[in-house]
Amino acid sequence: MHIIARRAATGIGSPVLTSLCTSRLTGTRRLYTMADSDHTVFNKPKVELHVHLDGAIRVQTILDVAKRRGITLPTDTEEELTQKIALEKPSTLTAFLEKFNEYMHVVAGDREAIKRIAYEFVEDKAKEGVIYVEVRYSPHFLANTQVEPIPWNQTEGNLSPDEVVHLVNEGLSEGERAFNIKARSILCCMRHMPSWSMDVVELCKKYRHEGVVAIDLAGDESLNCLANPGHRRAYEEAERCGIHRTVHAGEVGPASVVKEAVEVLKAERIGHGYRTLEDEGLYRKLLAQNMHFEVCPVSSKLTGACDPDFTKHPIITFMKDKANYSLNTDDPLILNSNLHLDYSTVHRYMGFTEEEFKRLNICSAESCFLPDEEKKELLDRLYEAYGMMTSTAF
Ligand SMILES: [Zn+2]
């Protein structure tokens, strides 16, 4: 993947971008985030809808928190820890998920760390030119009490999933004020833990006026909802209460998982959804419904979800069909990536144009989970930035 990243950058012919990506490759994350928009493929405001908070932590923060808490890591340098966490080449979703074991025990259960990662996340997104982001996470994975089983081999403490959501909300809203962008959150159910899902929807309801906009279902797609009715019940409750719904589906799982997400879980957006294309009838139906696909180009290669040859990527079909989709990072910590890399990748290998970048960002804003009035404000900001304002003076 690193070789691909370097090629993607050099292909654009920008020496600055090349050096920035080289900095990224050596793990000095702070340097590339200084990449200023002048040197990016799409130097305009962007919307991101699919990124995991616990997959978007700064390596330096993991090191700092480990030191403060007296947790021993295999290395204490940013460069070496980056190499340890990052997926090096196209792999499997299982190998990808194992990467979380490298560092989640450091931040889980720690109030200061959780608030800090949320705050820093907003800063990183602002530096990428994102003006609106929806960030997702499992509150249970960051807790150490009122969660069964307690994750990451933690001993029981006193940080509940409920307080995790409160802390993330605080970090995000402080970040919003400091960096002048808008950040909302999505709470994830995990496919292998159906017993957590009703808790998740209750947290969505409790915090819906403090920045939580939707529910998600993530994890192993082979665990369907027929066998795990806890998810279906949670999504029914979400629909009943007007909580927005997205579902990871058709990433590595077959088109039938997408079908289930839409028909059973009443998903309004699909996380990834690449394998929808294997069911022509379903794909045409979802196109006609204007279903939104949250696509993650760099992620889809490294997790093994898609053919590593980007020129054969399903996103090309979405683009040609003028589908409703967004471009997203998914887990930039584990992919050692950033949003610029996703944009430069589709530009370099899939022929994406400035016009398509504008169109997909407008689709993203239209499909975001903000209330209508705020959505309109976001769209107006994009129209203005993209030079698409129409005069309403007369
Ligand atoms: Zn995801």
Side-chain angles (χ1 to χ4, degrees), residues 50-52 96 136 216 218 248 251 271-272 294 296 299 330-331:
H50 188 127
V51 51
H52 296 258
F96 171 81
R136 63 188 71 195
D216 177 39
H248 280 72
E251 180 183 12
H272 303 276
E294 305 158 353
C296 310
S299 165
D330 207 9
D331 293 280

Side-chain angles (χ1 to χ4, degrees), residues 14-35:
S14 159
V16 176
L17 185 58
T18 305
S19 69
L20 291 167
C21 282
T22 305
S23 301
R24 185 185 62 74
L25 295 174
T26 58
T28 47
R29 194 176 170 87
R30 199 174 60 80
L31 288 179
Y32 82 74
T33 55
M34 286 167 68

Side-chain angles (χ1 to χ4, degrees), residues 184-198:
R184 295 291 181 268
S185 59
I186 296 172
L187 304 185
C188 298
C189 305
M190 300 306 302
R191 285 191 185 266
H192 69 295
M193 291 306 307
S195 60
W196 293 352
S197 290
M198 281 311 290

Side-chain angles (χ1 to χ4, degrees), residues 104-138:
M104 280 298 283
H105 62 291
V106 175
V107 293
D110 189 89
R111 288 174 174 79
E112 188 182 319
I114 290 167
K115 193 169 163 180
R116 174 175 169 181
I117 62 175
Y119 179 86
E120 291 176 343
F121 171 83
V122 180
E123 181 175 24
D124 291 344
K125 287 298 145 189
K127 286 179 176 168
E128 290 175 346
V130 172
I131 61 168
Y132 175 67
V133 61
E134 288 174 6
V135 60
R136 63 188 71 195
Y137 63 99
S138 159

